[in-house]
């Protein structure tokens, strides 16, 4: 037909007759880009989305090659994916395919404006009380201050980390966990407990999506700063897992102690590892990333160093002196460029890092894995 019409799943009438709880979201090509669409018939999409699960129950697409564009919706339905999953696909032109995506995004926005989501967004608009930034003499220190939870990060903490690392001025940035007088435990990952409790009360809560969003933004901020603006050091003493590992891996220098434990333990609760581990795994020895992802394998300091997850070993009793040396690296009125700051950091690390236990034959790592 002209325009082509394609449909999949159940119609709105069929869903109403079955007593299904759903909402219909529609978009037209003219709503997407009026400059490129002379006729709104060039693209029209209607998605019927379950209000209980967010899954797509049916769809109608009108436009050029509508049947081809509907294939994405069909795949989502066959694999039990949600409208939010479909909303993340990208199309460069305002054809029927782009309109399908826009309709899916409308369902996502509807969820965001639910009262429970608005309460969450309001909470996220404020700085987290568990993330502190201090700076002196050009040395910035980002401190995670939730030691009783091993610095497990909620969405508010991840958001504050990303914003502070991205915007606060400093020639060198130190990421640390523990408490003010102790470095024990860097970060145990994302706050899975908070997400589980939220989803138990509201299966359509926006918290999991916002948690991942701010985790990835925080990791990106650390990667970007470490690569272009300032040397970043992660003092990964104690537990460094999940989001904590992703955060630490973005640093230029990743310091471990004899107490360090690095892992991606998500598989134990039935979810695949996130926090940029798909990228991290590609830089590990063959097979190690897969083993960590599917078994939750924990690495100690020696294994982390050999695998490249860590760059330096520091005995835990030397950490206070190392941190003091880093914090007093240079006077505040003598700004340094990236190269100068990096050289100063290397000099301090050279004084305080040491050979790890069992380092004899260190260059012969064949068969270690």
């Amino acid at each position: 037909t002209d325009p082509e019409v394609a449909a999949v799943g159940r119609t709105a009438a069929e869903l109403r007759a079955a007593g299904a709880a759903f909402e219909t979201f529609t978009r037209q090509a003219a709503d997407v880009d009026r400059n490129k669409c002379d006729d709104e018939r060039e693209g029209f999409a209607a998605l019927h989305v379950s209000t209980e699960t967010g899954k797509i129950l049916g769809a109608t697409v009108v436009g050029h090659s509508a049947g081809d564009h509907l294939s994405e919706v069909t795949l989502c339905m066959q694999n039990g994916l949600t409208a939010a999953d479909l909303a993340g696909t990208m199309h460069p032109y305002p054809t029927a395919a782009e309109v399908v995506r826009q309709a899916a995004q409308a369902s996502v926005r509807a969820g965001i404006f639910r009262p429970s989501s608005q309460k969450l967004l309001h909470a996220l608009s404020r700085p987290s009380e568990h993330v502190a930034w201090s700076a002196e003499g050009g040395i910035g220190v980002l401190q995670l201050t939730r030691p009783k939870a091993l610095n497990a990060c909620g969405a508010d903490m991840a958001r504050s980390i990303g914003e502070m690392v991205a915007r606060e001025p400093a020639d060198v940035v130190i990421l640390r966990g523990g408490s003010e007088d102790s470095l024990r435990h860097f970060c145990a990952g994302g706050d899975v407990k908070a997400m589980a409790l939220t989803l138990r009360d509201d299966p359509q809560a926006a918290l999991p999506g916002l948690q991942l969003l701010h985790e990835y933004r925080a990791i990106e901020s650390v990667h970007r700063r470490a690569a272009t603006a300032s040397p970043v050091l992660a003092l990964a003493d104690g537990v460094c897992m999940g989001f904590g590992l992703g955060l630490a891996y973005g640093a230029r220098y990743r310091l471990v102690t004899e107490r360090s434990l690095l892992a991606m333990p998500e598989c134990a609760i039935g979810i695949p590892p996130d926090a940029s581990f798909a990228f991290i795994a590609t830089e590990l020895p063959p097979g190690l990333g897969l083993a960590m992802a599917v078994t939750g394998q924990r690495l100690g300091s020696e294994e982390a160093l050999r695998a490249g997850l860590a760059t330096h070993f520091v005995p835990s009793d030397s950490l206070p002196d190392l941190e003091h040396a880093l914090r007093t690296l240079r006077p505040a009125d003598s700004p340094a460029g990236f190269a100068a700051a990096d050289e100063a950091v290397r000099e301090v690390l050279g004084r305080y890092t040491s050979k790890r236990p069992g380092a004899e034959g260190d260059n012969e790592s064949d068969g270690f894995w």
Side-chain angles (χ1 to χ4, degrees):
T1 61
D2 185 18
E4 185 178 339
V5 179
V8 66
R10 290 181 286 179
T11 66
E14 291 171 338
L15 290 169
R16 281 192 291 269
F22 73 98
E23 291 184 75
T24 298
F25 299 92
T26 62
R27 279 295 182 273
Q28 294 178 337
D31 297 327
V32 179
D33 190 338
R34 296 182 183 277
N35 295 324
K36 293 183 179 180
C37 297
D38 297 325
D39 188 341
E40 63 186 30
R41 293 185 307 166
E42 290 183 19
F44 173 86
L47 296 182
H48 309 310
V49 180
S50 168
T51 56
E52 297 175 348
T53 65
K55 294 182 179 179
I56 301 170
L57 304 177
T60 300
V61 180
V62 180
H64 303 308
S65 302
D68 294 337
H69 299 315
L70 195 66
S71 61
E72 292 183 55
V73 183
T74 304
L75 285 172
C76 284
M77 295 175 66
Q78 290 174 342
N79 291 280
L81 303 180
T82 66
D85 297 315
L86 179 60
T89 61
M90 294 297 292
H91 294 285
Y93 304 110
T95 60
E98 171 65 3
V99 179
V100 168
R101 187 176 73 91
Q102 290 280 338
Q105 287 183 338
S107 71
V108 175
R109 285 192 292 272
I112 291 175
F113 285 103
R114 297 165 63 211
S116 60
S117 298
Q118 286 294 292
K119 182 179 179 180
L120 173 61
L121 291 173
H122 179 69
L124 290 177
S125 68
R126 301 188 299 269
S128 172
E129 62 178 335
H130 298 300
V131 181
W133 175 273
S134 61
E136 185 176 353
I139 310 302
V141 179
L142 188 143
Q143 165 78 45
L144 304 182
T145 61
R146 201 185 176 198
K148 291 184 178 180
L150 303 184
N151 291 313
C153 291
D156 61 329
M157 292 178 67
R159 181 175 184 269
S160 292
I161 292 169
E163 291 183 347
M164 289 178 180
V165 170
R167 73 164 187 257
E168 296 292 347
D171 294 316
V172 177
V173 175
I174 301 171
L175 308 179
R176 76 188 303 275
S179 58
E180 286 299 327
D181 58 352
S182 171
L183 275 163
R184 190 66 186 268
H185 301 311
F186 178 65
C187 174
D191 192 346
V192 177
K193 180 180 178 180
M195 285 192 285
L197 292 174
T198 299
L199 290 172
R200 182 188 64 184
D201 298 332
D202 181 6
Q204 292 302 303
L207 179 59
L210 290 171
Q211 175 82 28
L212 289 175
L213 168 68
H214 291 302
E215 283 187 8
Y216 275 95
R217 283 183 173 175
I219 292 169
E220 180 194 16
S221 294
V222 173
H223 270 277
R224 189 181 298 276
R225 181 145 196 168
T228 63
S230 313
V232 178
L233 299 93
L235 307 185
D237 187 26
V239 170
C240 179
M241 299 182 180
F243 170 57
L245 178 55
L247 199 65
Y249 195 77
R252 186 174 180 86
Y253 301 107
R254 305 178 290 279
L255 283 61
V256 292
T257 73
E258 72 280 2
R259 304 183 300 199
S260 296
L261 280 178
L262 289 74
M264 298 300 292
E266 291 88 341
C267 65
I269 55 175
I271 60 176
D274 49 30
S276 81
F277 191 71
F279 164 72
I280 296 173
T282 64
E283 301 197 334
L284 300 181
L288 179 59
L290 177 61
M292 292 180 68
V294 301
T295 69
Q297 178 181 351
R298 298 183 177 188
L299 305 185
S301 57
E302 182 179 0
E303 296 163 310
L305 285 158
R306 290 180 183 257
L309 286 172
T311 60
H312 295 78
F313 176 85
V314 183
S316 57
D317 56 6
S318 297
L319 276 176
D321 293 335
L322 168 66
E323 186 178 14
H324 176 74
L326 289 170
R327 287 184 182 235
T328 58
L329 201 54
R330 58 169 211 83
D333 57 355
S334 178
F338 183 96
D342 191 54
E343 181 62 30
V345 168
R346 286 175 177 269
E347 191 276 328
V348 171
L349 292 177
R351 282 190 276 131
Y352 289 94
T353 56
S354 67
K355 289 185 177 181
R356 55 191 176 275
E360 291 79 5
D362 189 55
N363 293 327
E364 299 180 4
S365 59
D366 290 346
F368 183 78
W369 303 111

